[in-house]
Structures are given as C-alpha cells and as structure tokens.
Amino acid sequence: MANSIQKSEIKLSGISASPGICIGKAYLVDREGVDVIKRYRIPQADVQNEINRFKTAVKQAKTELNDIIANTPEGLQQHSDILQTHVVLLEDKMIFDRTVETINKDYVNAEWALKLVTSNVKSMFQNISDPYLKDRAGDIVQVSDRIMAHLVGVNSVRIADIDKRVILVAYDLSPAQTSQINLERIKGFVTVRGGITSHTSIIARTLGIPAVQGIGDATTRIQTDEIIIVDGSDGSVVLNPSEKTLVAYEERQHRFESFRASIARTSHRPAETRDGHRIKVMGNIEMPEQVVSVIDNGGEGIGLYRTEFQYLSRSQFPNEDELFDKYQDVVEVMQSAPVTIRTLDINGDKAIQNSNRTETNPALGLRAIRYCLQRPDVFQTQLKAILRASFFGDVRVLFPMISTYDELMASKAALQQTMADLDQAGIPFKHDVAVGVMIEVPSLAIMADMIAPEVDFFSIGTNDLIQYSMAVDRSNKDVAQLYNPLHPAILRMLKIVSDAAKKHATPLFMCGEMAGDPFNLPILLGLGIDELSMNPQTIPMAKNVIRALALSETQPFLEEVLKQTTAGEVENLTREAFGDIIDKAFSPE
Ligand code: PEP
Ligand code: MG
C-alpha cells in the first residue's frame, strides 16, 4: 500500500506540537531556498535605488499580509493579531531601519543587508533562555523571509490553493500560512523549525490538527506523495510505514479521536471529585487571542495572564491605553469569569529589548516586581490599565517574584496610590479588586503564614519555586534531571504554603507547570489546592483526572508522600496508588 518497492520503515523524532494522529500523503510546501543569498557591492550612485528596491519589497510584503488578514476565515480571526504583529514588524526599526542603514553604510545589496540584520536580531533573541521569547525570534525570521521572497522574486506556496487531502511538510510555516489551512484538506503538518510555544504550534492546537515540529531533516527526507504517519502526541513521524504499522496507527488514531470526542463532551462540566469536591480549572495565557482556547477547552477563567509579551520586540514600552485595550478584550471575552492579570515579570530570563542591563546572574537580579518597584512610572502605567479593565469583569491583580513582606507592602501601596489617582480623575474601576501574590521564591513560601493576612489569594508558581529551591536553572537541559516538582523539598514547601493558606482561609491557587501535569493531581488535591491554572489544551484532561479521584483518598496519600526521601519514591508511590486511574483518565490507550 505504501510503496511498491517497500523501503525500510523509519521513525523520526521531534517535538509534539499538537496531539493526535494522521496518516496520509505528504505535501512539501517549501524549502529553505531563499536562505542562499549572495553578497555583492553596490556602486555609491546606486545605493538609493537599492534602498528603494528594499522598500518596494517591504511594501509588497505588507500588501500580501493585509490580503491574507482580510481573507482569514471567520473561525481563525483571532490569529489576525499575530499577522498584525508581522505587519508592524515589517517596519520595525530592528529590521527596516537597520537594513536601510546597512545598505547605505556598507554599499551591499538589499538581500545581503537584510540577511545580516536578521541574523543579528535572531541571535539577540536566541540568547534569551525563555523558550517562549526565543520563539519570537521565529516571527522576525518569518517577516524577514517574506520580504526576502519579494526581493528575490520567490513566491511562497499558497496553502489555500492546495486541493488534495495532504499532510504539509515544511521547513517552517508562518502564522499567515497556518491560518490559511483548510481543515477539509490539511490533515496535519510537520516542520523543521518551531517548538511547543511557537505561534504555529499554538494555531495547530487551536485547530486541533496533529503537528510535529523540530524534525531536523523533514524537508530533505520526506517527499511529496509519500505516505507518512504523524503522531502529534509523541512527536514522531513514520516514513515508509509497513502494513502492520499502518494498521496499528489507524487503530490508535481511532481510539484517540473517540477519546477526544468523549473528553470534549465533558470539558464544559465542572471538575468535581468522586466525593463531590469542586476544583476550579483555569487557563494560562500569554496573548489575548489565547482566551478562545481557554473557553473552548472548558477553562473556568484565566488563572495567569502573563503580560510580558506586549512589552516585547518594540523599542518603547506600551502606553496605558494600549495595555488597557488588550486587558479589556480579555476581560470582556471571559465575561464574569475571573481574569488574573500578573504584573510585569521582565528581566531574569525575559530580558527586554530596551533594557541595556547586563547582570551576571539575571534570574537573581532586577526581575519582575523588583524592576517595577524601581520603575514606578512603568508599574503605575500597568496598574492603571489593569484597574481600568477591572471595571468590566472579575479582574484579579497578581504580583510576581515577591520575596519579602516589605516588597509586598510596597506593591500594595503602589496599587493604592494608583487607585487614588484614578479616583481623583473620576475613572471607574473595581475598588475591591482581588490582590494576590505569586509564591515562587522560597523565602515567601517559608513565611507564607505571615503573608497570608495581607493578600486575597496565593498563586504558587512552581516553575520558579523549583528553580530557586533546587538551585537549578529552569531552562538548562544539562541540569534538567534535578528539576522535579515531586522532589521532597518542593513538596514540603508546598505543604508549608498549604498549611498557611488553610490557617488563614486564604484561597490557594497554582499556575506553574506542575498544575498542568495530571500525574501530580492526587498530590495537589491532597494539598487542598482550590484552583489550578494550566495550558488551555490540558484543561479537559485535568478535569477528567480530577473526576476520577476522591479527595478523601488523596489526603492520607499525601501524608505517605511526605515521608518519602526522593522524587523517584514519590513517583512510584503515586503510580502504585493512582497509576491506573490517571492512565485511564488521561490517555486513550
Ligand atoms: C512560575 O514561575 O511557575 C510561573 C507560573 O511564572 P513564569 O513561568 O511566568 O515565571
Ligand atoms: Mg515565575
């Protein structure tokens, strides 16, 4: 069936970008062709012509993007924002001005100048260890590729014109290309570039089509019309599948689809344990357009709105109105459901473009609230925007990286001052907006009982809590084996926080990645966490696992867990006690 001369089966491994399985003919949409750029010298007299040639290419790219935005199908309208970002990036100083400057100064051809500028900007972004920000380099490259295509006269393949049922295989797919995907035709996709937080994978998950990214040699090993299998759940692609493999994957595909349908049917129901205990399951977002995914997956609110993205890839910070517009959008879409807006968490591994800081140890440096308290102008601008948005729904304010009582009091004082300013200006806002603190620095976890009376809720950020407790850089793969939420030191710290929350009746939430792994749920329920916030796609699975558990069994289980000495022992104990329940509720296998 696959090939008349059966080649041997090959399995390529990449990153799981969107779960699910698809089987079908590959369709190669592009190669990295435009990357082969020659450098040549431009006579001084022709420099202006060369600059004009570049400007024309930018203009053409803009027209092309605006056309795509205008023709984006209804259901994908939310992605227009991403494309709008690309329109803005087209004329961003980082690319536009610097390319013009390079042509002017070095007398080189526009293609070479653009390539040089892009690779500098790209490496600047890639030195940031935060994977989300790193992926933003992808936006710059895509914008540059688009201009380059016009400069060298290469037309990118129009995905919308594909008229067969295929699996796309590409070096990269831009959000613009991805948003042209017609679900009737495109079964899934495989790309060389990309990662779990890239826009392309965000869109694939929103569309619900299987996708694998990070397959280094996808475009060289896979050919158009070859039958391939894409397993977006484990991040693999099978080439030249045997009949036996095809049958096995068809069965898995069928099981996955009926499992997904059954989960989707229940995802809007509350997550209630077998013994009637209700846990709220919320979504984490970085950009307003992700709100749709939270709602579609049955999220009961936004447990964490990371606000850094808006401050990125621009030379000036956003003003109050720009921030307010985005916050208001999110709050209005969520209607009466809670929207937890976290104040700016920049620096550390999320260095911003207009910060010239060089810190020896940025994770321990002037990050998040520390930065905001030193820059009251930046802080107040954001607080004003958040408070103004609070008028339209159920907004909560969340302060990140607080490590001392004094910092918390200073942050609250800044909020009070902002409230007074708004009152004076007659601008409406919700005076009793809930104010919470991230528990993500060990010092605060340990003194949680002293902090509790000062806040309306705790939100545990395990990503940083683990990093700072275990002295392990959360983005360094070489020490990744030490980064384990089930380490007894972490669990003990969580117990301290949970006891303090109980003592003071402080609502206890968790928004770190630990909350999004269903394997951790028996422990989190045992700790009495009231609300869990996670990647929107995980919400239905988490709800499913919660429904299979009983709170009364997780409490004695937690006591046993706290007696263990290693993370491995905790894992074994969890598997013994709840392995079957979790497996059944979490996967179709
Ligand atoms: C955390 O630290 O757990 C958290 C949720 O915040 P971020 O990942 O944005 O640092
Ligand atoms: Mg954090």
Side-chain angles (χ1 to χ4, degrees):
M1 182 180 165
N3 289 306
S4 46
I5 307 160
Q6 186 66 50
K7 294 190 236 161
S8 58
E9 188 173 296
I10 302 165
K11 191 167 178 172
L12 306 174
S13 291
I15 297 161
S16 152
S18 177
I21 290 166
C22 63
I23 304 170
K25 283 189 175 171
Y27 188 99
L28 225 59
V29 289
D30 91 58
R31 280 173 201 267
E32 206 185 356
V34 291
D35 254 359
V36 193
I37 297 298
K38 289 210 174 76
R39 178 186 201 275
Y40 54 90
R41 208 180 145 76
I42 304 290
Q44 198 175 356
D46 291 345
V47 162
Q48 194 50 49
N49 280 346
E50 194 61 14
I51 291 174
N52 290 343
R53 199 167 72 80
F54 171 69
K55 288 184 176 170
T56 306
V58 171
K59 216 184 251 168
Q60 288 166 334
K62 198 170 180 179
T63 311
E64 184 187 26
L65 263 177
N66 283 330
D67 277 356
I68 297 171
I69 293 171
N71 294 317
T72 299
E74 272 293 299
L76 284 169
Q77 211 59 43
Q78 72 267 28
H79 302 307
S80 302
D81 264 12
I82 296 169
L83 306 182
Q84 297 284 9
T85 315
H86 283 197
V87 174
V88 176
L89 279 177
L90 277 172
E91 282 173 1
D92 189 280
K93 281 200 187 81
M94 272 196 297
I95 300 180
F96 191 89
D97 289 8
R98 288 193 199 169
T99 304
V100 171
E101 211 177 284
T102 308
I103 302 172
N104 227 341
K105 196 166 63 53
D106 298 348
Y107 303 147
V108 287
N109 55 319
E111 291 87 346
W112 183 260
L114 177 63
K115 184 183 157 89
L116 197 75
V117 166
T118 311
S119 83
N120 286 345
V121 173
K122 197 168 126 189
S123 57
M124 187 180 90
F125 265 81
Q126 283 182 335
N127 285 335
I128 299 172
S129 51
D130 182 272
Y132 184 79
L133 302 190
K134 212 173 201 167
D135 281 339
R136 300 291 73 79
D139 291 323
I140 307 249
V141 173
Q142 282 164 358
V143 166
S144 157
D145 281 354
R146 187 173 293 278
I147 304 173
M148 191 72 86
H150 287 282
L151 272 175
V152 299
V154 175
N155 283 323
S156 50
V157 176
R158 277 186 51 81
I159 308 280
D161 295 343
I162 298 174
D163 59 359
K164 305 184 264 190
R165 293 269 296 150
V166 291
I167 299 172
L168 298 179
V169 179
Y171 182 76
D172 194 12
L173 289 173
S174 66
Q177 285 177 309
T178 321
S179 64
Q180 294 170 34
I181 285 179
N182 176 341
L183 290 178
E184 307 270 295
R185 313 237 171 78
I186 311 297
K187 298 177 168 192
F189 64 78
V190 180
T191 63
V192 174
R193 227 157 36 183
I196 187 73
T197 60
S198 71
H199 284 138
T200 309
S201 64
I202 292 170
I203 296 174
R205 289 196 292 269
T206 315
L207 291 169
I209 59 172
V212 174
Q213 299 194 290
I215 300 263
D217 41 8
T219 52
T220 48
R221 291 184 85 156
I222 306 174
Q223 304 200 347
T224 293
D225 283 344
E226 256 182 0
I227 299 278
I228 60 170
I229 300 171
V230 175
D231 185 344
S233 304
D234 80 353
S236 66
V237 177
V238 183
L239 316 188
N240 319 318
S242 67
E243 285 290 339
K244 199 168 146 228
T245 306
L246 278 170
V247 171
Y249 272 96
E250 271 160 10
E251 274 170 20
R252 281 184 63 187
Q253 181 182 24
H254 181 69
R255 278 204 301 277
F256 183 86
E257 274 158 18
S258 31
F259 172 69
R260 174 131 77 184
S262 73
I263 281 201
R265 277 195 294 277
T266 60
S267 71
H268 290 271
R269 294 219 299 264
E272 192 172 297
T273 58
R274 292 196 333 267
D275 49 357
H277 186 79
R278 185 80 197 270
I279 306 280
K280 264 199 171 175
V281 184
M282 323 268 280
N284 290 351
I285 61 166
E286 282 87 21
M287 289 183 297
E289 58 262 36
Q290 288 172 294
V291 171
V292 179
S293 178
V294 174
I295 294 173
D296 288 351
N297 284 292
E300 299 167 85
I302 307 294
L304 172 64
Y305 178 1
R306 291 181 167 102
T307 56
E308 295 76 58
F309 184 66
Q310 243 186 304
Y311 290 74
L312 229 69
S313 67
R314 48 190 298 162
S315 49
Q316 280 186 334
F317 283 149
N319 64 32
E320 183 188 319
D321 284 341
E322 283 175 82
L323 294 171
F324 168 69
D325 279 350
K326 297 282 182 200
Y327 302 161
Q328 188 192 19
D329 276 356
V330 174
V331 172
E332 286 190 339
V333 175
M334 292 309 292
Q335 299 182 356
S336 58
V339 175
T340 315
I341 307 182
R342 185 176 70 182
T343 62
L344 194 54
D345 181 4
I346 44 166
N347 287 340
D349 58 352
K350 299 172 189 163
I352 31 146
Q353 191 201 329
N354 58 355
S355 135
N356 299 322
R357 303 191 52 80
T358 43
E359 295 181 309
T360 324
N361 220 334
L364 306 181
L366 193 65
R367 179 185 163 184
I369 205 70
R370 303 170 180 185
Y371 175 86
C372 287
L373 290 174
Q374 285 198 16
R375 287 290 307 267
D377 53 330
V378 175
F379 199 26
Q380 300 260 340
T381 301
Q382 187 182 30
L383 290 175
K384 266 192 191 154
I386 298 174
L387 286 173
R388 282 172 59 193
S390 73
F391 184 69
F392 299 90
D394 182 9
V395 168
R396 302 163 173 172
V397 182
L398 178 60
F399 295 126
M401 273 289 288
I402 300 271
S403 57
T404 68
Y405 181 86
D406 289 342
E407 273 175 348
L408 175 62
M409 299 320 277
S411 308
K412 284 177 62 175
L415 187 68
Q416 285 302 328
Q417 181 58 51
T418 313
M419 287 182 169
D421 293 348
L422 287 178
D423 271 335
Q424 204 170 22
I427 299 170
F429 65 93
K430 207 165 136 215
H431 286 74
D432 58 351
V433 63
V435 179
V437 69
M438 293 277 296
I439 304 281
E440 55 181 346
V441 181
S443 59
L444 213 70
I446 286 163
M447 59 186 294
D449 60 331
M450 292 161 168
I451 297 295
E454 299 297 340
V455 293
D456 298 311
F457 64 94
F458 283 155
S459 186
I460 306 177
T462 47
N463 307 344
D464 280 310
L465 190 63
I466 300 168
Q467 145 159 291
Y468 294 126
S469 305
M470 302 296 298
V472 49
D473 180 342
R474 63 192 253 191
S475 52
N476 182 341
K477 66 176 171 34
D478 299 330
V479 285
Q481 79 286 357
L482 288 170
Y483 191 95
N484 192 331
L486 300 181
H487 189 280
I490 303 300
L491 299 178
R492 284 176 169 218
M493 199 133 20
L494 295 181
K495 180 71 166 63
I496 293 173
V497 177
S498 140
D499 288 346
K502 259 182 227 147
K503 188 168 141 201
H504 294 274
T506 304
L508 182 60
F509 310 154
M510 179 178 281
C511 63
E513 291 301 308
M514 183 180 188
D517 182 347
F519 190 78
N520 302 327
L521 286 172
I523 291 177
L524 300 183
L525 261 59
L527 283 164
I529 297 194
D530 304 297
E531 203 178 279
L532 298 161
S533 191
M534 57 196 67
N535 170 314
Q537 281 67 40
T538 325
I539 295 172
M541 315 283 186
K543 282 187 160 183
N544 219 22
V545 174
I546 292 168
R547 289 190 200 106
L549 297 169
L551 190 71
S552 58
E553 54 194 25
T554 63
Q555 288 152 345
F557 167 68
L558 178 70
E559 279 171 33
E560 284 311 301
V561 160
L562 288 168
K563 291 180 194 154
Q564 310 307 309
T565 322
T566 67
E569 286 166 10
V570 176
E571 274 163 25
N572 289 341
L573 206 65
T574 309
R575 211 165 279 121
E576 266 167 40
F578 296 100
D580 284 353
I581 293 182
I582 294 168
D583 285 350
K584 218 158 110 216
F586 184 49
S587 94
E589 300 294 88

